Amino acid sequence: MKKLNHQLGSHAPSPLKEGFYFVLIILFLMEIAGAQTTRNATVDPSEARALNSIFQRWEISGTNQGWNISGELCDGVATDDTVIDIINPGIKCGCSFNNGTVCRITALRVYALDVVGPIPNELWNLTYLTNLNLGQNYLTGRLPASIGNLTRMQYLSIGINALSGELPRELGRLTDLRSLSFSTNNFSGPLPYELGNLTRLTQIYFDSAGVSGPIPPTFSGLAGLERVWASDNELTGQIYRTIHYLGASLHGSVNEIYKLIWLPTASP
């Protein structure tokens, strides 16, 4: 009998093992519930209409990119772990809104797809965008003040297009921006003073953008800047921070520098 009791005791689950299995079961159930919530969530109807209108105007489709523009937009690669940089055209969605019942479009990439014409007004209705890349197309016309609607934006690239007119001061409303690129366009006029509001900015690229005039003194407040490309413009005035170019500190007017890659250090 003692031997039998000993054998039974050696096979009985310990409290530690029971607790471990319990945690595994809970995590498994939570994962299933999360996946089910994502499947049940649907994209906000106004955003679906806006995106479909934009793609129709640009004559592009996401059918071959692993997400379904003709059905539920926020599905497949739009909601999984696939990074937006390898989906083109592509979107990413966040589906945690309204207790997990509503998806919002948080990223849009239409890069180097020969898109022609003005930026559709519907784009400015996608106010949950944090990442927008429209680089290397043939976009024309002005960048409207409505870009100020996209206050959640963190990464904005409209470089290598044919956009024109003055840059809107409403860019200064995008105070969460980390990276901004509007290089190689046909803009005119000065850099808006309001760009100095973008205090979270770490990178800005506006080489060959067409801008001219003085560098706004508000740029001196962009303490987080790590890189600035600003060559081939008609800028005037003084550089307000010490910069490194290939390891050498430079001061003075912008036109004294052939090619600008600014890496700011301490203020002079």
Side-chain angles (χ1 to χ4, degrees), residues 40-164:
N40 292 338
T42 57
V43 67
D44 180 85
S46 64
E47 294 192 7
R49 288 192 297 270
L51 186 70
N52 278 301
S53 177
I54 292 167
F55 275 36
Q56 287 172 8
R57 288 174 183 265
W58 284 345
E59 299 181 352
I60 55 178
S61 171
T63 303
N64 298 324
Q65 301 300 319
W67 57 284
N68 184 8
I69 193 168
S70 61
E72 173 52 43
L73 298 177
C74 294
D75 197 6
V77 296
T79 56
D80 66 16
D81 294 332
T82 306
V83 295
I84 187 66
D85 293 337
I86 62 173
I87 316 170
N88 195 36
I91 64 169
K92 298 298 288 187
C93 300
C95 296
S96 60
F97 300 93
N98 289 24
N99 295 320
T101 62
V102 174
C103 297
R104 299 285 188 173
I105 298 172
T106 57
L108 171 61
R109 184 172 189 254
V110 180
Y111 177 76
L113 293 181
D114 297 333
V115 166
V116 179
I119 299 175
N121 288 330
E122 290 85 352
L123 180 62
W124 317 124
N125 295 327
L126 301 179
T127 57
Y128 284 80
L129 283 175
T130 61
N131 187 330
L132 176 62
N133 187 347
L134 303 180
Q136 203 167 321
N137 287 292
Y138 298 97
L139 298 175
T140 58
R142 302 176 70 92
L143 188 63
S146 301
I147 195 171
N149 296 347
L150 308 184
T151 56
R152 295 176 174 85
M153 190 66 65
Q154 296 181 6
Y155 304 95
L156 174 60
S157 177
I158 52 173
I160 314 180
N161 279 289
L163 296 167
S164 57

